[in-house]
Amino acid sequence: MKSKLTRLYTVSLLMISGLLVNVGAFAQTRTVSGKVLGENGVPVSSATVSVKGTRISAVADEYGIYHIKVPAGDATLVFSYVGYNAFEEKVGETNEHNITLHENKMQLNEIVVTALGVKKELKRVGYSTQEVKGSELTKAREPNAINSLTGKVAGLTVGASAEMLGRPQVVLRGSTDLLFVVDGVPVNSDTWNMSADDIESYTVLKGANAAALYGFRGQNGAILVTTKKGSKEKRGFSVEFNSSTMFEKGYTALPKNQTEYGYGNNYKYAYGNDLYDLDGSYRRSNIWGPRFEGQPVKQYDSPIDPTTGQRTGTPWVARGVNNFENFMETGLLSTNNIAVSASGDKYDLRMSYSHTYQKGMAPNTKLNIDNLNINTGYNFSPKLRMEANLNFNAQYTPNIPDVSYGPNSYPYMFKVYGSASWALSDMKDYWKGPTGRPGLVQYYSEYGRENNPYFVANEWLHGHYKTDVYGYLKFTYKVNKDLNISLRSQVTTWNQFRTEKVPPSTNLNGYYSGYYFQKNGPLYNIWYGDYREDKRMLIENNTDLMANYNKNLGKGFNLTAIAGGSLRTFKYNSDWASTYQLTIPGVYNLSNSKNPVKAYTFGSNMQVISGYASVDLAYKNYLNVSATGRVDKLSTLPEGQQTIFYPSLGVSSVISDYTKLPEAISFLKVRGSFADVKGGLTNSTIGSAYNALTTSVGNPQTLNSGLLGYGSELYTSYDGPSYTNQMAYNTTTFYNNTPSITYSNTLANKDLKSFDIKSYEAGLDVKFLKNRLGLDVTYFRTINGPLIYPLPVASSTGYYSHNVNGITSQKDGLEVSLVGTPIRTKDFSWDVMVNWSTYKEKLKDIYQNEKTVTINDHNYHIGDRLDAFYGYKVFRAPDGQPIYNSSGLLLEPKTGTDNKQLLGYANPDYVFGINNRFGYKNFSFSFQFDGRVGGKIYDYVFAQSMNSGNALDLVQGDYGAARLNEWKSTSLSTVDATPAYVGKGVVISSGTPVYENGAITNLDQLKFDKNTKAVTVQNYVQNSLYAKFDEPFLISRSYLKLREVVLGYTFPAEKFHGKFLKGASVSLVGRNLLYFAERKDIDLDQYASGFNISDRSLNSKPGLQSTTARRFGFNVNLSF
Amino acid sequence: MKKFQYIIALFALVISMSACQKGNLENNPNVASSNSLVPPSLILNRALYGVYQGGGVVDSRANSVFEGPWDQTMRWNQYTVSNLSYYRGNNSYNWANTATAYDILKYVSKMEAQAATQFGSPNNVYGALGKFLRAYCFIWLTQRVGDIPMTQAGDENNLTPTYDSQHDVYRNSLALLDTANTMFGSLITSSNANTTIDGDIYALTVSQWQKVVNTYRLRVLISLSKRADDNADLNIKSQFATILGNPTKYPVMTSNADNLTFKFNSSYNQYPRTPSEPYNLYENIGNTYLNITTATKDPRTFVIATPAPAQLAGGKTVSDFTAYVGADISKAQSDLNVASNAGTYSFVNYKRYFASLTGPEPYIMVGYPEMCFNIAEAINRGWVTGADAATWYNNGINASLSFYGLADGQILTIGDLAGKTLGTVTVKMGDFLTNPAVVYKGNNNDGLTQILNQKYVAMFENSGIEAFYNFRRTGVPVFAQNGPGINGSGVIPRRWQYPTDEKVYNEANCTSALQKQFGGSDDLNKDMWLIK
C-alpha cells in the first residue's frame, strides 16, 4: 500500500516539476501507444503511463497521445493523472490501447488554487479550502453562478434570493462580506457578473487563514474563480455549446389564505356611494368582513341607483379563490453559451458568449444578461508571456418586481391583504370605467391600500440596466527555471442605472405624503405619479508586481517564495433622484416635477498600497510551513494609523507518509494555521446615494424609512470607504423644503486603530479503504476583534455612540466533509459527498471595563451568544397554559429592553448538504439534498396575514369554529357579532403577579382558573396576539430541500470519431423540487444569514418575499 | 529578446501614469466637516423641528414618541382612545425606558458656536434662543425621570456626566430662561421686533419669541407648585409674580397669535389626519374629555367629536350633549372594540380633522390659553396678588373658543365617523359660559378644579403631554385607570425609567441618582421630587 502511494506521489511530483521521465530501456522492448481520454472525450494531456512493477513510465502529450516502451511478455500498464482514478490495462498482442480515465474527486495529489491564484498541492496547504468544478453547476442551473454553490461546500451557505436579480446571501462561517476573486485578482461582484459556463472551478478559501494575502478584504474568506482557458486540442480549436432551458412552476412555499370571508371589519362591509369609496367606512379594509354567502353587499362594482345616488348590493361571493395562482405565470430560465477555444504555437485563446433570459413568474417581468468573456495568452518567447482577460457583462430589464411590505409588491397584495372578494379576470382591463380613466386612474376593487395587479405589472415599472466589465493584462517573465516575475494591471468597473416609473393614481398606501385620493368639491384630485432614478458607478484598479520563486533545495527541501506589491485605487459615485409629483402624467422625466426634485449624490475615493510576501518551505512530506505577511497603507484609516501589518502561518504534515498506520487508513494529513487580519472603515455594500450619505454621518436612513415609505433599499457591492469616523454636517430638509442639517451622532476617534481578526484553524484529511472514503475535518476559532465599533454612549453627552476599538466575539466552528465511493464497478458507480458545518459566536470582550453591550435592543453580557434574540412572550402558568386577563385577552407583557424574553437563536445549529451521484455506462443520475437545522425566525407573512384576517389558520380549528359562530350571530351583518373565541388557558383567580425583567416571579403563589371569557377572533388576533407578542409567530428555521436532480446521458465518444460533432450530452434537470419545513409560508432558503458581526444585524425578522417555485427543464451540451 | 523588455517597460509606464490618487482621501467629500462654517439658521431649523417631534424622534431613537396631534401622547392625555391596536396603537401606558431630548442640546451648542463665530459675538438671537432651547430640553427629560445630567451634559469630552438633582435642574433652567429673556430684551429694537429669525420654522417674530420664553417659564413655575413652599431658594412664587408684574421686562403672550405653533403644509408636512386616512372607526374620543365638556354644555364637544351612533339610534338628536359619549381608556381594547362597533362611543370629528392636508389648526406647543389658566392657577394658589383669577380663567376659555373659531349662534354641521352629514347644531355660548359648573367659583379648591379642567380641555390635541403632567401633579381631571386596559397592573405610571444608554454606559452616575431618589429602584410608580 505504502509503496504504491509513494510511487504515485513521486510520479506526480515529477510531473509537477515539469520533468518528463522516461527511465531506461530494456533489451527487448516494443512500443505501445494510444490515446488517453477523459469521460467527456477530451484528451488527458500529461497523463502518466507506467509499466506495473517497473520504473518505466511515459507522459502523454497535449493530445493525450502516449508512446511507451514495454518489455516483452506480459505487462500491465498503469494510467494515472491528477484528479482521475488510476486505470490498469493488460497489454496483450495489440500495440494500440486507447484508454478512458474516470475522474476521482478524492485524489491525493490534488492541486488547489490558493490566494493570488497560486496553485499548490493540497497536501501542502495548512488551511481549509474546498473546490467545486464549474462543470457541476451548468446543468441544473440557477440564474446566478454563485447560487449554485449551495450545499456543495462545508461552511459556505448560499441563500439564493427569492427575488429576481436579488443578491444571494453568501455566508461563510457566519460572515457575509466575502471577496470574489477571478483568476487571482479581486473583482467587485454582485454575483451576477460572471457566467457559469466560463468557470473552470470555484475554490472557497474558508476564512482569514486562507485569504490573508488579500488583506482586509479577505478577512472572512474568499471565493476564487478560475476561468476556462484556451484549448490544447490537436486541431487547434474546439467549440462548446451548452444550452439549458428551465421552467418555473409549482410553489415550494406558499402562504395559505382563507377564502371564506371577504373585505371588511367585524363581519361588515359596504363600498361607499362615492366612485372611489371616499365616503365609505371600510376603505383600506382588512379581510375581517362578512362570510361569502351570496347575500347582497355593496361592492366596488355594484350599481349606483341614479335617482337616489345609493349603491345597490350585489351577491357577496368568493369571486377570486385562486387570484394569486391565476395571476402568476410560468417562469422561464434559458441560458445559452457558445465558447470557442483555440491555441497555436505561441498563443491560446478562448472566447465565450452567454446569454441568459429569465422570465419571471410575475407578469411582465424579465431579465436579460449578456456575458462576453475573452481569455487569451501570447508567448513572445519561452520566457515572456502576455495574458489578457476581459469579461463584459450587461444586465438589462425594463421591469423586475420590487418586494417589500407595501403596495408595490404582490405578496402584500395577494397574500397579506388579498381578498377573494374580487375576481382577477375583472382586473385585466385596468383602465376601464366607471372608476378607471385611461392613462390616469386605475380600475380596482379598493382605493386606499392596494393596486390593481395588472396595473402594477404593466405600468409601475422598475428598470435595471447595468454594464459590468473586468479584465486584466499581465506579463510574466521567466527569469530562470526557478524565478518568474509578473506585472499585472486589472480594472473592475460597473455602471448601474435603475429607474422607477410610478404611474398616475398609484396607491402608495399613504406612507408618502402627497399621494391620496381626495375629492375637492365635485372634482377628484388624482396625483400624476412619479419618476425616480438611481445611478451608481464604480471603478477600481489593481496593479500588482509579483515575483515567484520556486526551488528544490535538495535533500528533500523545497522552497516557494512570493514577494509582491500592489496598488489599489478606487472610485465610486452615485446619484439618487426623484420627482416630487409629476406635472404631466405619463412623462417619466426628472424635469417633469411639480415640486423641487429630491436629489442626492454620494462619491468616494480610496487607495490601498500594499506589499506582501509569502514563503513556503517543505521538507519532504514531513512538514510544510507556509508564512505570509502583508503591509497595507489604507487611506480610510485615521492619519497615523493607516499602515497595518498582518501575518499568517500554516503548517501541514502527511503523517501517513512516514508513520505506519492501520491498513484501513490510506492517507492522513494534519494541518494547522493562524492568521491575523486588519483593516477598517470600509463597507462591503452600499445603498442608494441617499442611504450612503446618511450612513456616512452615522444616521442611516433607507429610502423606505426616510423618504418614500415603501420599497426596498438596493445594496450593491462596494468595498469602499464608510467615512463613519468623522463628524460632519449633512444637509437635509425637515420642514416645508427649508434647508436644514443633521450632525453626526457618533463621536469620531482620532486614535482609532484598524480592526483585528485573529483566526485559528486545525484540521485533518483522512482517506480510508484505499481512498474509497475521504474525510476532511476542520475546527476553527475566530477572534473577531476588537472591532471598530460605535459603542453606545450615554445620550446625555448629546451623542449616541463613539467609535472605539471595542467588542470582540469568538466564533468556534466545525466543518466536516465526507467523500465516498461506495460502489465502483466497470459500468456502475456511486459517489457520495456530505458537507456539514456548525459554529457558534459568543461575546468575548467589550470595550474597557464594560460588562454589557446593547445590540439590537438587548444588553448582551460577555459569554452570551450574539445570535440570541429577544421579544415578547406569552405568560404561562406553571402547567404551561397561557395566562389571560379578565377581558379574555392574553395577559399583556411589560415592554422595554429589560422585559424582553429570549425567543431563540438566529443561527442554525448546523447546515448540511448531501450529494449523490450514480453512473451507469453513459447515464448519470445525481441529486442533492441540503438544509439547515435549528434556529428561529419570525414568520412575517404569517403574522401579517393573521392580523389582516387572511390567514388560512383563521378558518380552521378553534379560530374557524369561533369565527363561524360569530358570523352566524350577526344575522348576515345586521347585528354586531357575539364574541365566541375563548382562548385555551387560565386566568389569575387570586394573587397579584410580581414582574421582574418581564417574567412573573411568583407564579407559585398565584391561583388560576380556566379562562371562560369570550372575545371576537378579530379582537383576539388584532388587539392581543399580533399587537403584543412576537412568540406566536416564530417558526423553526430548519428546512430540507431536494435542491437538484440531474439525469444525464452522454453519447458514447466513439460515435463521434471523425465527425464534425465531437461529443454530446443531454440532461433532464430539476431544482428545488421538494421542500420540507415547519410552516411553508416562506422559503427559508433565502435567510442564510443569522447574526452578522460586521454590521451586527440579526436577520431574525425579515419582511416579505416572493413566492418561490420548482424549476425543471433540460440541458444540451455539444462539443465540436 | 530586448524588444520584449521594452514592451514590459512601456506597460509599466502606462500603469504608473494611471495609478496613484493624491490628496486627502480620508475625509468624506460629500458633507461639511465639523469645522466648516454652517449657517446657524440651518442648525436652528433642525433643533426646532426636534422640539415639535419630541425627544429622540428625529433621530429614530428607541422609545421615542411623536408628540404631535392624534398620536400616542394624546392617548396618554386621554383625549383619544384606540379600539384597535394595529391602526391606532395601544392605550396601555406600558412605559419603560424613556428617550431623551439631548439631541437639541447638541444642536444648540453647534448653533451657538457657529453664530458666535459668524456674528462676532455670542450676544445674538441664536444665542438667546439657545438658552431657551437648553432649558426646554433639560425640563423635557427631568419631568419624565427625575434627576438628570445637566451641568456636565453635552460635552464631547465627558462621556459619563454626573447627575444634577431635579431641584438644581429646575433652578438652572429657570436661570437660563431668565437669561434668554434678558438677551432678547437687549437685542430687540423697534426696527427688528417684528422680524422673523432665519431658520425658525415656527415663523415667530423676535418679540414673540421673547413672549414664548416667559410664557414657557410660567408653565415651568406652575409645574413646580408642589415644591413652591419648601424650596425658598427657587423663589417659585416670586418669580411668577415678578414676570406677571413687569410686562415690559417680561412680556408674555397676549393672544392666540403669539402661540408657539407648528403649521402644517400640503406638500411636505401634512396634518396627521388627512382625507386619505381611513381608520377613523378604530379611534374614539376619551371620556375624560367628553365627561367635562358634555356636563358643561361646552360647544367644543360638537367641534371635536361625532355623536355616538347608538345614542342617535336611540332617538337622541345631534345637538343633545348626552349623545356624545367618550370611551373609557382603562377598558380592555377588545371590549372597547366591541362597544365601539356597537356604536357606544363618539368618534373623532371627521369633517374637521380629516378634511384637508393641512388640517384645521396648527399644533400648539406653548399656547396663550394654557398661559391664562396657569396664571389663574397661580392666583388661585395665592402666588400673585392684585390680579383676578376669574379674569384669566375666562380669558383662557375665550381664547380656546376663539382658537376653534366658535361664536354664539354659529351653526355647526355634524357628521359621522366618515364625514357623512347627520345634521346641524347651533352654538349656544351662554349655555356654556353661564353654566354654574363653568362660572368661576373663587380662589378655592373648586375654583382650582375648574381652572385645571378648562386647562385640560384647552390643551386638546396640543401641548405635548402637558395634560398628563397636570393630571400627575394635581389629579385633575381624574384620569381613567384601574382597568385591564392600563398595562398589567391597571395603574398609570408616575414616571419613565432612565434611558438604557444611561443605565449601561453612565452606570455609576445613573445608579447613584436612582439610589438618591428611589432607593435604588427605577420604579415607574414612584414619585419624583417634582410631584412628591
Side-chain angles (χ1 to χ4, degrees), chain A residues 226-413:
Chain A
T226 306
T227 60
K228 291 178 180 166
K229 301 291 188 307
S231 163
K232 296 250 170 94
E233 226 194 302
K234 193 180 187 175
R235 295 180 293 163
F237 80 98
S238 67
V239 180
E240 288 276 330
F241 173 74
N242 191 22
S243 173
S244 158
T245 305
M246 297 180 87
F247 300 95
E248 204 169 9
K249 198 173 175 64
Y251 302 105
T252 35
L254 182 71
K256 291 195 174 65
N257 299 124
Q258 58 88 7
T259 54
E260 276 186 49
Y261 301 86
Y263 281 143
N265 185 38
N266 282 298
Y267 305 101
K268 289 178 188 164
Y269 181 72
Y271 194 92
N273 297 321
D274 177 83
L275 206 52
Y276 299 106
D277 195 20
L278 294 181
D279 61 346
S281 293
Y282 298 92
R283 288 168 61 206
R284 275 188 78 156
S285 205
N286 289 173
I287 325 296
W288 288 103
R291 193 156 185 265
F292 295 115
E293 294 189 348
Q295 72 277 31
V297 170
K298 294 177 180 179
Q299 300 174 54
Y300 67 100
D301 55 353
S302 301
I304 296 178
D305 186 316
T307 49
T308 61
Q310 298 286 309
R311 215 174 269 277
T312 317
T314 45
W316 186 244
V317 286
R319 295 191 260 176
V321 171
N322 290 315
N323 278 347
F324 181 73
E325 288 78 355
N326 293 339
F327 180 68
M328 289 291 166
E329 299 170 350
T330 301
L332 172 69
L333 176 66
S334 156
T335 310
N336 292 289
N337 170 268
I338 183 150
V340 177
S341 309
S343 63
D345 291 344
K346 291 192 149 192
Y347 73 94
D348 53 85
L349 178 64
R350 183 174 183 276
M351 297 176 288
S352 159
Y353 169 69
S354 311
H355 183 83
T356 301
Y357 171 75
Q358 190 180 2
K359 182 194 163 311
M361 289 192 294
N364 196 33
T365 55
K366 55 174 153 293
L367 172 65
N368 280 286
I369 302 175
D370 284 315
N371 197 93
L372 183 67
N373 186 282
I374 301 173
N375 226 327
T376 173
Y378 180 76
N379 302 319
F380 287 96
S381 75
K383 283 181 173 257
L384 181 64
R385 176 174 165 84
M386 181 174 114
E387 278 173 48
N389 169 272
L390 188 70
N391 193 83
F392 173 87
N393 178 284
Q395 305 153 12
Y396 47 99
T397 168
N399 189 36
I400 49 171
D402 181 33
V403 175
S404 63
Y405 184 78
N408 49 325
S409 51
Y410 300 123
Y412 178 88
M413 293 163 58

Side-chain angles (χ1 to χ4, degrees), chain B residues 91-163:
Chain B
N91 304 320
S92 59
Y93 292 89
N94 210 335
W95 294 351
N97 311 89
T98 180
T100 71
Y102 285 114
D103 56 325
I104 293 172
L105 179 64
K106 177 180 81 175
Y107 286 106
V108 165
S109 317
K110 296 286 159 199
M111 176 180 76
E112 287 170 343
Q114 292 280 0
T117 308
Q118 293 175 38
F119 302 135
S121 155
N123 196 24
N124 56 59
V125 286
Y126 294 102
L129 279 172
K131 299 282 184 275
F132 166 73
L133 290 169
R134 280 170 185 269
Y136 184 90
C137 80
F138 294 129
I139 287 169
W140 187 94
L141 184 62
T142 192
Q143 290 185 103
R144 292 185 152 227
V145 292
D147 297 355
I148 59 161
M150 180 177 185
T151 45
Q152 295 188 4
D155 179 356
E156 295 180 13
N157 298 312
N158 180 2
L159 299 184
T160 52
T162 54
Y163 280 57

Side-chain angles (χ1 to χ4, degrees), chain A residues 855-890:
Chain A
I855 307 175
N856 297 313
D857 199 26
H858 175 71
N859 293 322
Y860 290 88
H861 293 79
I862 289 170
D864 285 352
R865 265 177 78 169
L866 284 164
D867 64 329
F869 66 96
Y870 291 77
Y872 298 112
K873 255 185 161 164
V874 174
F875 290 113
R876 289 177 189 279
D879 62 355
Q881 295 203 71
I883 305 176
Y884 287 77
N885 67 18
S886 57
S887 313
L889 300 181
L890 288 162

Side-chain angles (χ1 to χ4, degrees), chain A residues 510-521:
Chain A
Y511 292 132
Y512 186 19
S513 57
Y515 306 98
Y516 51 92
F517 267 94
Q518 195 202 352
K519 202 171 183 181
N520 200 351

